Amino acid sequence: MLEALRQGVQSWYFKGLLIILISSFAVWGVGDIFRGGPTGGSVITVGGRDIDPSELYNSFRLRLSQISRRLGNDISIEQAQQLGLVDQTVEALTTEALYEVEAAELGVVISDAALIRQIREQKAFQDSLGQFDRARFERVITANGMTEAGFVNQLRWEFIRDQILRSLAGSLPESRELAQVLFDWRQERRIADYIVLKNDPTVEIATPDDAVLQTYYTDNAARFTAPAYRKIAFVHLTTADARADITIPDDQLRQAYENRIDAYRQPDRRTVQQIILPDEAAAKNVVAKLAEGREFVALAEEVAQQDPGTTNLGDVTAGQLPAGMSEAVFALGKGETSAPIEGPFGWYVIRVTDIKPESTMPLAEVADSLRQELAKDKAVDVLFSLSNALEDTLGSGATLEEAAAKIGVPSVTIDAVDANGRGPDGSPVPAIPPGSDLATHAFATPVGEESALIETGNGGYLVVRVDSEQPSAVRPFETVRNEAIAGWKAEQRALAEEKRAEAVTARLNEGATLAAIAAEFNLGEPVTSPAFTRDGADAGAEISRALAADLFARKPGGAAFGNSAEGYTIAVLKTVKPADPVAEKAAYDAFNERIATDLSSDIVVQYANALRERYPVEIDQRAIDNLFLRN
């Protein structure tokens, strides 16, 4: 549960959450927060731990809320069930319960005081003053769908679980021997010399007789199969249809401008610099030095170790300054320096370098964009009315063409379109509106029927009727004969190129030199590859991963070949470079640490599986189904 909270609220609000929580213990008392939840008939039983319907449903709702916020739109319970969220919640609660039961069996507990102490020791969760802000606490908790009790109980469970898992992982012996073997295997490198035999498209391949072509045609039927095509008619309503007759009178424009005047108003601002000091005496000393003519930024770096980025605040409004500072800052004139001001992080010395009075953008400056915005807003309403009129007309029995004519928009007919929006010639059908997914909707609508009114992703509406379908079928041989000839020749040419590369590689393995082969084919000098590892990712563009792996199976002097972008790369292994843990100490240490982490993860998985064997798990699936059916 907390994982989503951590991912969703990576901000200073969340980082201050636990320090806020600490203060809340003092304000409300520990007992108010550490109370148990509701009880009732269980839907999940793990050992002696019962999980009742309300606990399952509340956990599910929390997860659903978090996912909805992440996606930016609400997800229904039905959709969540289809996504497997109920099963995920059941699995998560079952796992939590297994660790709780194991913790009780082992006697592992986290007291309220210990929990508070652990929270208090995490400096990342403390604000600068260490003070509790009730409103901020409630905002963060509420925004993430959790209660105070739920958050703390979840935190307690995570501490207990982590304590158990740390004890497991911490008991693992260090295995530098294993790390050394794996590191040597993974970091061993090869260097190879290679040439590239490029494909020659001019090589003549004789045209085969019809018997050979017929066999090729039959063996590659999918290549010569035409997709299903549908004849469709559709009406697509867009804001362009609605905006054609929309005008925004000047009086409406001015009224909208006045209604939105705050959006065009720039508040009074000050361009400020700051120096933050630990106490008032230090601040007074800085004021005195500035009065002597010292440069502000240089002095800030000298006495407060501030860089220019923290010294120059830029333009600020009164509302952006901490309470108690805005009045003093905004009372300063241009070029004036404040007396020491006490603030949230110490004592401040502020200089105002510029004053920018409140200003308002005139109507003339925003008229065009505002008029377009108003027209767009009105077009949305008109478009909605048009869509309702179209739907009502179709519902009264009118054809798609008749309904379109009645509301004054065109209907379009496409004689043949496939599921990808292409016509019989393989080109995109130009009549398909961009972003409408027309072809997808056409193939989701049964033949002879009309779709419902569909809201498209580009803010429009669509209705499509499917008149007929030409099923997918293998095209007659005579219509694809030339295509079959070209395909067969390409296949034969590729086979010939592969056999040539294979023959050259065999000659190299029999004693021929790569330089001689290169000269024979007028390829110039062989190229030496960079040192590469087994996966071949660092071997260069001409050595594929498959060829790199093949070269790792060879001894120096051995040859191998593999596909490249322009033909075949033929390589001879030149050098084997063993891994060097000393020269690659940083990489070795990181690898050793990763091995330890992987081993720990394996142990945790095995432990979780063992818990399921040790403690009986009973899940009342019928009760769970009924719970979500009712809700």
Side-chain angles (χ1 to χ4, degrees):
M1 295 180 193
L2 287 182
E3 187 60 30
L5 184 61
R6 293 193 186 99
Q7 295 174 355
V9 193
Q10 296 294 333
S11 68
W12 65 277
Y13 274 120
F14 183 69
K15 291 176 180 178
L17 176 59
L18 293 182
I19 188 63
I20 293 170
L21 194 58
I22 295 169
S23 301
S24 72
F25 299 157
V27 175
W28 301 300
V30 171
D32 292 335
I33 293 182
F34 290 90
R35 286 197 296 260
T39 59
S42 62
V43 291
I44 304 171
T45 301
V46 179
R49 166 80 161 89
D50 290 330
I51 298 172
D52 60 39
S54 64
E55 184 176 354
L56 171 60
Y57 190 71
N58 289 339
S59 179
F60 167 80
R61 293 296 304 183
L62 173 60
R63 291 168 180 266
L64 179 60
S65 174
Q66 291 167 341
I67 291 175
S68 295
R69 284 196 307 276
R70 199 173 299 142
L71 296 178
N73 59 334
D74 291 336
I75 298 177
S76 68
I77 291 180
E78 291 75 18
Q79 291 172 319
Q81 287 176 300
Q82 292 171 2
L83 292 171
L85 189 59
V86 173
D87 294 337
Q88 293 172 25
T89 306
V90 169
E91 177 66 22
L93 288 177
T94 301
T95 301
E96 290 179 16
L98 283 167
Y99 279 105
E100 289 180 23
V101 173
E102 177 74 349
E105 182 73 18
L106 296 173
V108 178
V109 295
I110 297 291
S111 68
D112 296 348
L115 179 60
I116 296 172
R117 184 172 61 254
Q118 290 206 41
I119 296 172
R120 195 184 295 273
E121 289 172 354
Q122 299 186 49
K123 294 183 179 180
F125 298 116
Q126 298 175 359
D127 62 22
S128 60
L129 300 179
Q131 295 179 347
F132 171 67
D133 184 337
R134 171 74 186 199
R136 183 181 301 169
F137 170 75
E138 291 180 346
R139 276 200 305 273
V140 176
I141 289 293
T142 302
N144 288 277
M146 301 188 78
T147 63
E148 298 163 18
F151 179 80
V152 176
N153 287 337
Q154 184 64 31
L155 198 61
R156 184 196 300 278
W157 129 251
E158 287 204 358
F159 279 136
I160 290 174
R161 180 200 61 187
D162 291 346
Q163 194 169 9
I164 294 173
L165 295 183
R166 278 197 301 270
S167 68
L168 286 172
S171 64
L172 288 174
E174 186 175 13
S175 180
R176 286 198 170 269
E177 293 80 6
L178 174 62
Q180 181 71 60
V181 170
L182 292 176
F183 183 81
D184 289 346
W185 186 84
R186 290 192 60 173
Q187 294 303 113
E188 185 179 83
R189 288 176 169 81
R190 298 285 192 269
I191 297 175
D193 291 333
Y194 66 88
I195 59 174
V196 177
L197 286 180
K198 295 183 178 180
N199 294 331
D200 185 358
T202 65
V203 172
E204 286 293 331
I205 302 291
T207 301
D209 58 32
D210 280 0
V212 173
L213 274 183
Q214 283 282 0
T215 300
Y216 179 79
Y217 168 78
T218 302
D219 292 344
N220 296 273
R223 178 174 179 174
F224 304 109
T225 299
Y229 292 100
R230 289 190 168 191
K231 180 180 180 181
I232 64 173
F234 69 92
V235 172
H236 184 226
L237 302 177
T238 67
T239 52
D241 298 314
R243 291 178 67 172
D245 299 323
I246 292 177
T247 59
I248 305 298
D250 289 344
D251 59 336
Q252 288 186 17
L253 183 68
R254 176 162 292 280
Q255 184 62 50
Y257 171 76
E258 292 174 355
N259 291 342
R260 307 180 188 195
I261 193 67
D262 288 342
Y264 304 121
R265 182 176 290 129
Q266 186 71 267
D268 195 11
R269 290 166 294 156
R270 298 291 186 271
T271 305
V272 302
Q273 295 174 313
Q274 66 173 3
I275 301 177
I276 307 175
L277 290 310
D279 52 52
E280 186 178 11
K284 287 180 178 180
N285 182 47
V286 165
V287 171
K289 289 184 177 181
L290 289 171
E292 295 170 359
R294 294 290 300 276
E295 200 276 325
F296 198 94
V297 174
L299 187 59
E301 185 173 3
E302 176 186 324
V303 302
Q305 291 75 52
Q306 291 180 201
D307 58 38
T310 55
T311 301
N312 297 314
L313 287 184
D315 293 347
V316 297
T317 63
Q320 292 173 322
L321 293 172
M325 292 182 63
S326 58
E327 290 184 6
V329 171
F330 273 72
L332 296 173
K334 182 176 179 179
E336 292 183 349
T337 301
S338 73
I341 304 172
E342 188 174 9
F345 299 104
W347 285 80
Y348 291 69
V349 176
I350 303 290
R351 169 169 286 179
V352 173
T353 61
D354 196 11
I355 295 176
K356 297 178 180 178
E358 179 181 304
S359 62
T360 302
M361 297 173 67
L363 175 58
E365 190 173 331
V366 300
D368 289 343
S369 60
L370 180 56
R371 197 183 298 274
Q372 291 177 9
E373 186 178 346
L374 294 175
K376 183 179 179 181
D377 291 343
K378 185 174 286 189
V380 171
D381 296 334
V382 173
L383 181 61
F384 183 70
S385 299
L386 275 177
S387 67
N388 284 337
L390 177 63
E391 200 168 27
D392 291 344
T393 306
L394 290 171
S396 68
T399 66
L400 192 62
E401 292 80 3
E402 291 169 345
K406 184 173 181 180
I407 66 171
V409 298
S411 61
V412 181
T413 299
I414 298 177
D415 290 329
V417 63
D418 69 12
N420 294 314
R422 298 181 179 274
D425 63 352
S427 300
V429 177
I432 294 180
S436 65
D437 288 331
L438 174 62
T440 301
H441 296 305
F443 275 79
T445 302
V447 176
E449 295 187 19
E450 200 169 75
S451 74
L453 184 70
I454 301 164
E455 188 170 354
T456 61
N458 56 6
Y461 295 90
L462 175 74
V463 176
V464 60
R465 185 186 68 224
V466 180
D467 293 330
S468 61
E469 179 178 271
Q470 177 184 329
S472 173
V474 179
R475 290 176 287 174
F477 174 73
E478 288 305 322
T479 65
V480 296
R481 190 175 190 278
N482 291 337
E483 187 179 337
I485 291 173
W488 184 87
K489 285 186 175 182
E491 187 176 278
Q492 295 305 307
R493 188 174 289 109
L495 287 172
E497 300 285 1
E498 183 178 6
K499 288 180 179 178
R500 182 179 66 161
E502 187 176 7
V504 168
T505 303
R507 288 171 57 190
L508 289 168
N509 283 322
E510 290 169 0
T513 65
L514 193 61
I517 297 292
E520 180 182 331
F521 288 95
N522 297 316
L523 297 177
E525 292 296 321
V527 179
T528 300
S529 75
F532 55 88
T533 53
R534 292 176 187 275
D535 64 6
D538 46 359
E542 299 296 349
I543 296 181
S544 67
R545 296 195 174 198
L547 177 55
D550 202 352
L551 288 169
F552 264 83
R554 310 280 171 175
K555 294 181 179 180
F561 74 96
N563 290 98
S564 67
E566 298 180 286
Y568 284 90
T569 298
I570 300 174
V572 175
L573 182 60
K574 182 178 182 179
T575 306
V576 175
K577 296 187 66 176
D580 187 348
V582 176
E584 302 177 83
K585 185 178 185 306
Y588 176 72
D589 290 343
F591 184 81
N592 189 45
E593 184 176 336
R594 189 163 73 243
I595 289 295
T597 301
D598 291 345
L599 288 174
S600 297
S601 298
D602 290 343
I603 291 294
V604 168
V605 171
Q606 293 177 36
Y607 185 66
N609 291 336
L611 291 181
R612 289 179 179 273
E613 294 292 330
R614 185 180 307 166
Y615 302 110
V617 175
E618 297 179 9
I619 298 175
D620 190 341
Q621 192 61 52
R622 178 176 296 180
I624 293 173
D625 292 341
N626 289 337
L627 172 65
F628 289 96
L629 185 64
R630 290 196 307 270
N631 290 282

